[in-house]
Amino acid sequence: MLSPIVAPLVALLLLVSLSPALPFSSPPSTIRPRALLLRSAAADPTAPSYPIEPLPLRIGHGFDIHRMSPLSKAGQPIVIAGVEVKHPPQNWTDAEGEFVEPGGRYLAELGVEAHSDGDVVFHSIVDAIFGALTLPDIGQVFQDTDPRWRGCDSSKFMDYAKEVMDRYGYKLGNVDVTIIMERPKLASFKPAMKDNIVRLLGTTPGRVNLKARTHERVDSVGEL
């Protein structure tokens, strides 16, 4: 049973669609550039041994989840879509008695436990882009055992996903993101989150949608 004070934070990326930036009649050699052909799959997970065939539409999805815990334990704040979610301390139930007596209420500001900054939205979008291109998942490209990514700003992962998408000759069709999180509330943070996604993917506001909802106090997410 999860301790209610260790509340999961979930981001589900429902859809990313990619369309060729180059004419669909372009040969595969222009879609899979020489720079990637010269790299081995072992050295570069985004350069597989098979060709990434040119298609008029590619669709990928991504999902990510991280635990939230008191900031003193997590060591870093909640960051979602590049935005630090500042919130006043709230009462959380410590079921396992790590901070107060078991089942007691604990007033705390929360952070996210993660190897990088734990940005569930950026991680989900990167996974969706890699998935649409039939490439390995984000955990294989940016391994959580690699010290280079300790506390890393996940916008760097987004920059790389955009670079890979460009290399293969694709551009973003649209992206639809749903964040599932009981508390704190995200309404005031959503515009900045969307702006960051638009900027990092080099697209327009009319191609990016971002929603946030609670889990209606159901299961470990909703029950905190």
Side-chain angles (χ1 to χ4, degrees):
M1 178 179 177
L2 290 176
S3 167
I5 202 165
V6 184
L9 167 64
V10 182
L12 171 64
L13 187 72
L14 297 181
L15 172 69
V16 159
S17 66
L18 307 181
S19 56
L22 301 174
F24 181 60
S25 59
S26 299
S29 61
T30 61
I31 300 297
R32 189 162 182 260
R34 179 180 175 138
L36 288 181
L37 287 169
L38 294 178
R39 301 179 189 175
S40 69
D44 182 2
T46 64
S49 58
Y50 52 85
I52 306 300
E53 302 171 18
L55 300 174
L57 179 68
R58 286 179 171 271
I59 295 175
H61 75 278
F63 172 85
D64 194 30
I65 182 169
H66 284 285
R67 290 177 181 267
M68 293 193 298
S69 62
L71 191 58
S72 60
K73 178 182 177 182
Q76 57 185 2
I78 300 172
V79 175
I80 305 177
V83 177
E84 182 176 339
V85 180
K86 294 181 178 296
H87 61 283
Q90 299 183 40
N91 279 313
W92 302 83
T93 302
D94 187 356
E96 296 176 354
E98 185 174 358
F99 297 90
V100 293
E101 70 280 359
R105 303 288 283 177
Y106 182 73
L107 192 66
E109 182 178 355
L110 295 191
V112 170
E113 297 182 21
H115 183 69
S116 64
D117 62 3
D119 193 322
V120 287
V121 167
F122 283 175
H123 294 179
S124 295
I125 291 175
V126 170
D127 244 356
I129 291 173
F130 288 167
L133 294 169
T134 69
L135 298 174
D137 61 66
I138 187 173
Q140 292 174 267
V141 179
F142 301 104
Q143 298 179 13
D144 62 8
T145 56
D146 191 329
R148 290 179 298 171
W149 315 130
R150 169 66 65 183
C152 182
D153 181 340
S154 292
S155 65
K156 298 182 185 303
F157 304 157
M158 288 278 281
D159 286 339
Y160 186 70
K162 171 67 163 53
E163 177 187 328
V164 170
M165 182 171 61
D166 291 343
R167 287 175 182 173
Y168 283 107
Y170 283 87
K171 63 181 180 180
L172 183 75
N174 70 291
V175 55
D176 187 18
V177 180
T178 300
I179 305 168
I180 305 172
M181 182 176 179
E182 197 69 21
R183 287 184 285 175
K185 302 303 182 184
L186 299 180
S188 63
F189 300 99
K190 286 164 59 180
M193 293 176 180
K194 176 171 176 172
D195 287 346
N196 286 339
I197 296 170
V198 170
R199 174 178 53 82
L200 289 168
L201 295 182
T203 187
T204 60
R207 292 175 180 261
V208 173
N209 190 44
L210 185 142
K211 307 177 295 296
R213 53 159 296 168
T214 70
H215 218 241
E216 299 294 340
R217 295 179 290 178
V218 174
D219 72 28
S220 59
V221 177
E223 293 173 0
L224 297 175

